[in-house]
Structure formats: C-alpha cells, structure tokens
Amino acid sequence: HAQLILPPGITHDATYPGGNALGLGFPMGGLVFSPDGSILYCGGNAASAAGFVGALPVIRNPVTNKITGFGQATVHTSAPNIDGGLDFHPNGTMFWATWPSHTIGQYTNATGALSYPLTGTGIPATTGALEFVPAGLPNAGDLLVASYSAGSLYTLPLIPNGNGTFTPGTATLFAALPGGTEGFRHIPSG
C-alpha cells in the first residue's frame, strides 16, 4: 500500500487492481513510465530473488490522454530483490533499488540485468528507493538513492563503464529524512 499525496487542485478518480491481478506478482516494487508514456514498468515479486520488471501497456483516452486501463503484462527483465525505486538514466539505462541486498540493478538491451553493490559507497544498508533528477531541475541527471534503514537521501555519482552501465562512486548526503523511504518522485509544476 502506498500513500497518495496530491497537490491542491488535483483529484484522484481511479484505482486499479494490484500486482497479482495485473500479472505482476506481489508485492509490487517501483513504478516508472516509458519516456513516451505508453508502457508502465513495474517491479514485480518485490524484495525477493524472483523479482522482475514487468512491462504493462497503457491504454489511454485519445482525447484526454487519461489512463483508462492496461494491456497484458510481460516480463521486461529479471530484477532480483527489486524494491521501491525504478527509473531511467538519461542515456536510457534502467535502474532499480534492491532490498535486502544493498545493490542497484541496471538493465540495457546489450548487457541484460546487472547488479552493482553499494557497500563502500557511503550509503548505509539498505536501499529503499532511487530516482534521477529530471531535466530542467537543478542537479538534473544526478542519481538520488534513499537508505531505507538510515532514512537519508544521497547523491550517488556514476562512473561510465563504456557499455551503457555505470559503477557507483562515493555518495554524499543530500538530505536527512525520516526512516523507511520506499519511493519518491519529482513532480513537475503545472
């Protein structure tokens, strides 16, 4: 279950079935739309060795662009221990946070799914969420990673590996938060 916090003037008017009903397993992990909004990527069987990223086609009203339903889910990639964070690097590489393994997963078509340990980066075990700062905002492209147990948010530099994936560098504290952060998103204005 997730808490829904809406800005003034925005209403919530639909709830969709959970992971099992959508073919995504239970519990669900992080969520992120494809850049064009036609696919909703979802963490399935979260926090387990059987974790994966599912691809769920989005059905939209052609006039309002409002989501009216979903197509059949397919498995996009394995993602053992996927947790509350799922996002795309600006180059298109898919990233996810894990629990309890204290790693970040990465996926490209060329490399498949890979896992990078966060031990030694300065982020206390274990992660709960991650997100790239969106374009147009200060620090755009930076990877923010939340430590679930410590309740803090870190900026994690990434060192390119030359194949579309990245090795984590040494993190710096971005913000101290209450413990238990499982997911976060930057919400565009307007």
Side-chain angles (χ1 to χ4, degrees):
H1 297 282
Q3 184 177 10
L4 184 62
I5 303 171
L6 299 171
I10 303 296
T11 60
H12 171 258
D13 62 351
T15 302
Y16 293 95
N20 283 335
L22 294 171
L24 296 168
F26 183 81
M28 288 178 66
L31 304 168
V32 66
F33 282 99
S34 61
D36 68 0
S38 66
I39 304 284
L40 179 61
Y41 292 100
C42 309
N45 293 335
S48 78
F52 65 94
V53 175
L56 195 59
V58 176
I59 301 167
R60 294 181 182 269
N61 179 302
V63 175
T64 65
N65 206 31
K66 188 180 217 179
I67 296 172
T68 59
F70 297 101
Q72 180 63 43
T74 59
V75 174
H76 182 68
T77 184
S78 65
N81 301 309
I82 188 169
D83 200 26
L86 180 62
D87 204 4
F88 289 100
H89 182 275
N91 78 350
T93 300
M94 180 180 278
F95 277 69
W96 59 87
T98 67
W99 186 91
S101 56
H102 197 50
T103 62
I104 55 172
Q106 298 178 42
Y107 172 86
T108 72
N109 288 332
T111 64
L114 301 171
S115 180
Y116 291 87
L118 294 177
T119 305
T121 63
I123 299 174
T126 185
T127 57
L130 59 75
E131 185 196 23
F132 287 95
V133 177
L137 295 177
N139 305 313
D142 282 1
L143 178 60
L144 299 178
V145 179
S147 170
Y148 179 84
S149 55
S152 296
L153 192 60
Y154 295 84
T155 301
L156 183 64
L158 299 171
I159 303 158
N161 293 325
N163 62 359
T165 65
F166 301 84
T167 298
T170 302
T172 56
L173 182 65
F174 181 79
L177 304 171
T181 302
E182 278 287 338
F184 57 94
R185 280 282 182 239
H186 286 79
I187 307 299
S189 63

